[in-house]
Each structure stands twice: as C-alpha cells, then as structure tokens.
Amino acid sequence: MSTPLSESVWLNDVDVCQVEYLAEVSGLSIEEIEDLIDTDVIKPVDAGTPTRMFQLRYVVTVKTARRLRDDFELDRRGLALALSLLQRIDELQAEIHATKARLGHPR
Amino acid sequence: MKFKDYYEALGVERTATLADIKKAYRKLAHKYHPDVSADPDSEAKFKDVAEAYATLKNPEKREAYDNLGKHPAGESFTPPPDWQQHFHTGEAGLDDVDLADLFSAFGRGGGGGGHRRQSFPVPGQDYEIAAPVTLEQIHRADQIELSAELPEYDANGLAHRVPRTFQITIPKSAANGQRLRLAGKGGPGFNGGRPGDLYVSLVLQPHPLYRPDGRDLYLDLPLAPWEAVLGASVHVPTLAGTVELNVKPGTTAGQKLRLAKRGLASADGSVGALYAVVRIEVPKTVSAREHELLEQLAAASNFNPRTHFA
C-alpha cells in the first residue's frame, strides 16, 4: 500500500512506500537514498518489480541519515558507512536483548 | 529571557576562532549525538551543543550574541531595546521567547530590517516525542494521550512554546521504538515551505513478568522440585488472562514451555507465543517433617546429577 504524505501513519515493516516518499520526509536527495540502497542499508521489498517499494520503517533510517549528514557534515560514502555500522550495532543490541529475554531474570 | 552561555556549552573561550568552534563542536557531537551515543542523557546535551554551534558558527549571529554581553547561564536578562524593534515585538516583548528560537529567526527572515534575507521556502522543523507504553496497553490497543510543548510562530517569525495534546491509538502490532508520523503537526514552514512533522516514538516500559523478544514473550515459571519431578498443573498469567498449564513429570530447569498465540500480535495478523521458562526453586527453610521426608528421599534415591563428572 502506497502512503500519501498527508496521512498519519505508523512506521512499520508491513506498509510500504516509494523512494520519493523517503526523499520527501527526510530531505535527502534521491541520489543519496540510492547510495543507501546500493549499500543495502535500505532494501526494497521485492527488488524484481518495476516499481521498488520500501517498508515504512525505513523512514526512521533516512531521517537518521539526514541528521548524521547535517550534524557531522558527512559525504555520501561516509554516510553509507556510518549507517551500515549503526545498523550492525542495532542488530547486535537486538541479539543481546533477545538472549537476555530467553535466559530469564537473574536471581 | 534566560541567558545561555554558548561558549561554555562548547567549552571554548569567547575569543575562539571559527576553526576552534568547529573542532569543539565535532568533538562534542561525536560524544553526545543521540544517534551515536548510548547515554540516555546525551540527547539533551547534544541539543545544547548543536544550539550553541548553530549560533557561533554564523559570524552575524555570533556578533549579535556577543553584543548581549556575558551573564551567568540561566540568568534572566533583557535583550537590548533595538532587538525588540528588530523583531517588532511591541509590548509583547521577548520574555517568553527562547534564545535559540530568537537566533533561528535571524536566519529565516525574522526580525525585519537588516535580518530579513531569505525568501525561498523553508520547511518547518520536525519534532519527536517519546510515549511510554506498557505491554498491556499494546495488547489492548489502548488509546493514550500525549502532551508536548510545540512552537507556534508569531507574525515576526518568533517561536512561542504552546502546550498541545494528542490522542493516539496504539496498534496491537506496536513494538519498542516504533514511530508514528503525524504529518504536518511539527513546526510551521516559512515562505510557503511545508510544515514539519511530529514523530511519536514508543518506549516500551519494562514489565515485572514478561520479557519481549519480537512478538514472543518470555516468562519465568518457578516450580517446586516435586512439581518438576512429579508433574503438575499450574496457573500461568498471560496478557489475555490466566491459563492452566500442564507440566510434564521430569521437567528440568531452563526448559521452555510454549503457549501458542499468547504473545504479541504482528501487523500481518499472526500472534507470537508465550514461553514459560522453568526455574526450579527450593524452599530456603523446611519444617522438621519436610526435612525428615527429604532425608528419606536422599537415602532411597540413586539419582546422581553429576555422573558426567566421573
């Protein structure tokens, strides 16, 4: 489902949007977002379809990218690298969280 | 208006060069940037640093700031009379205006006179507010009320913080950190620029019983040793109410007993599981009768849990 700009929406991994929407809400250029796609920071739902769609949760990713670009004056390569590393940290933190949940409360 | 010491925020002298200011900002940004730092207080610290840098990196704003003189941070002060003329505030004055908002107005046309330069559309600022939520609220898809002070701009482009209230309905598929985008509910745009957005970020509160992992929940299930050995029927709390769980004889510590569809819902309609993680608890004190029975059990049993040591 494509998401119009005027709506209030939950940024989840089910609803999707086009690359133009990600550019609009983040203020990044299409070229900058293409860099993030090329480096797998952002992945289309089905890369094989003519119109690429992206999970709405990537709005958070592109907004983070915009903040990092502006606050650290990062160039396009630096931005993609920083986001890849942040994504790895997020994945590791999620693994730690999941492990702690399975292990139980320490007594 | 409260004075803010921008030089102190960046840790530089008032005579610092632009290069010194930039270097200090970069160092502090690496330390406190909320996307990089794990310190929960870093966001507020970075906001101070970014605010100071936004003013001091701009020669015109820095000059205006320096003309305010030096005051202790947090002290109330009155800007020079010509500031009120620049910003056309009249009798309203600048008392309820934040210093940062005043300097922001310099760059986008606020202040009139020599400061009105930009004519291109400037989009409004995005804002993010945190919404603490419980697992129960997610499970019930509760409606919650959020309050935030957001800026509204007067005719001169000066921001005045106004309390706003929002009601949102939490989806059953909500997760920690998930955001709701309220388009156009952030700061207003200028010169025809679109208004900013308001983002509501859900912060899941720790639960005394349940530990979420994705859509699954984990719960410690304490069992008495004889319940684990003999099997038992125990009551287990779930988000949808208490259920009865049959514990098979010979259940061991750490074993996970799965209760299907007792976890959290996904956006696609599926529901996670609740895992009851068995813990074997022993009584810290026993009665004389219990002691006697345990002595008899120890004498009669040939169970050795350490056979693999040999």
Side-chain angles (χ1 to χ4, degrees):
Chain A
M1 165 188 4
S2 182
T3 306
L5 276 170
S6 59
E7 279 186 10
S8 298
V9 287
W10 286 97
L11 306 178
N12 57 28
D13 54 7
V14 174
D15 297 314
V16 294
C17 62
Q18 294 183 10
V19 71
E20 290 80 9
Y21 181 85
L22 295 176
E24 175 82 35
V25 297
S26 67
L28 292 178
S29 66
I30 296 285
E31 291 73 26
E32 286 170 317
I33 293 178
E34 289 293 345
D35 281 348
L36 301 180
I37 298 167
D38 289 344
T39 49
D40 282 345
V41 171
I42 294 174
K43 294 172 187 164
V45 175
D46 183 357
T49 55
T51 307
R52 292 171 307 171
M53 303 301 277
F54 300 86
Q55 293 172 336
L56 268 185
R57 68 183 173 92
Y58 284 129
V59 168
V60 180
T61 309
V62 291
K63 281 184 64 62
T64 302
R66 167 69 190 271
R67 270 198 307 272
L68 290 170
R69 185 198 72 179
D70 293 352
D71 295 339
F72 292 107
E73 296 168 348
L74 295 176
D75 61 17
R76 285 162 61 178
R77 282 185 191 172
L79 185 60
L81 177 65
L83 279 162
S84 297
L85 293 172
L86 283 177
Q87 211 162 53
R88 277 178 59 189
I89 291 170
D90 283 347
E91 287 164 6
L92 289 170
Q93 282 178 331
E95 274 184 38
I96 291 169
H97 180 81
T99 305
K100 280 182 175 174
R102 291 181 196 127
L103 285 176
H105 287 130
R107 292 284 169 104
Chain B
M1 184 184 292
K2 302 279 186 204
F3 186 77
K4 297 178 184 178
D5 193 331
Y6 289 154
Y7 291 102
E8 191 178 290
L10 290 175
V12 296
E13 297 292 330
R14 293 177 79 84
T15 53
T17 64
L18 185 58
D20 293 336
I21 287 167
K22 199 169 190 174
K23 191 176 170 185
Y25 164 75
R26 282 187 172 163
K27 192 175 171 185
L28 292 168
H30 276 103
K31 192 172 177 185
Y32 294 127
H33 197 282
D35 292 320
V36 176
S37 171
D39 179 358
D41 297 329
S42 66
E43 188 161 1
K45 289 175 184 165
F46 179 72
K47 196 176 161 212
D48 293 342
V49 169
E51 181 184 325
Y53 182 59
T55 295
L56 297 185
K57 74 177 180 183
N58 179 311
E60 193 181 354
K61 290 184 186 180
R62 184 179 178 184
E63 187 186 346
Y65 176 78
D66 287 345
N67 286 339
L68 295 176
K70 186 165 168 42
H71 304 264
E75 184 183 84
S76 291
F77 77 106
T78 305
D82 62 320
W83 279 45
Q84 305 208 4
Q85 289 165 16
H86 276 309
F87 287 93
H88 305 291
T89 56
E91 290 181 0
L94 296 166
D95 286 351
D96 69 333
V97 177
D98 190 275
L99 194 57
D101 293 329
L102 202 59
F103 281 107
S104 295
F106 266 78
R108 58 167 184 261
H115 299 303
R116 195 177 292 281
R117 294 188 308 273
Q118 296 179 0
S119 57
F120 52 85
V122 180
Q125 197 178 341
D126 291 346
Y127 288 89
E128 183 163 320
I129 53 175
V133 291
T134 64
L135 282 172
E136 283 84 356
Q137 286 176 316
I138 293 174
H139 177 72
R140 293 189 301 256
D142 276 0
Q143 193 173 69
I144 59 170
E145 197 170 273
L146 296 171
S147 298
E149 284 202 339
L150 296 173
E152 281 187 5
Y153 293 90
D154 62 21
N156 302 305
L158 283 180
H160 299 266
R161 305 277 162 167
V162 178
R164 303 263 299 275
T165 303
F166 301 91
Q167 287 207 329
I168 62 167
T169 302
I170 306 167
K172 278 181 175 284
S173 59
N176 186 39
Q178 193 173 339
R179 287 165 174 82
L180 173 69
R181 175 177 180 258
L182 298 166
K185 301 291 185 189
F190 295 90
N191 304 324
R194 70 175 181 88
D197 302 328
L198 178 67
Y199 289 86
V200 177
S201 174
L202 298 184
V203 181
L204 184 60
Q205 303 300 288
H207 197 281
L209 291 179
Y210 308 114
R211 302 181 298 275
D213 172 23
R215 310 321 296 167
D216 294 332
L217 295 175
Y218 286 80
L219 161 89
D220 285 343
L221 176 64
L223 292 178
W226 45 90
E227 288 177 322
V229 175
L230 303 174
S233 177
V234 296
H235 290 102
V236 174
T238 76
L239 288 174
T242 302
V243 296
E244 196 166 303
L245 177 66
N246 285 319
V247 178
K248 288 181 181 169
T251 295
T252 54
Q255 206 170 322
K256 295 178 182 70
L257 309 179
R258 183 173 182 268
L259 291 162
K261 298 186 186 300
R262 291 286 175 173
L264 296 168
S266 299
D268 63 5
S270 61
V271 181
L274 171 66
Y275 290 93
V277 185
V278 171
R279 303 179 69 98
I280 311 290
E281 299 285 335
V282 297
K284 287 191 170 58
T285 56
V286 289
S287 66
R289 172 71 177 140
E290 286 171 321
H291 193 273
E292 185 188 338
L293 290 170
L294 287 166
E295 289 278 17
Q296 287 178 23
L297 175 63
S301 176
N302 57 5
F303 173 60
N304 178 7
R306 295 174 294 280
T307 50
H308 59 293
F309 279 9

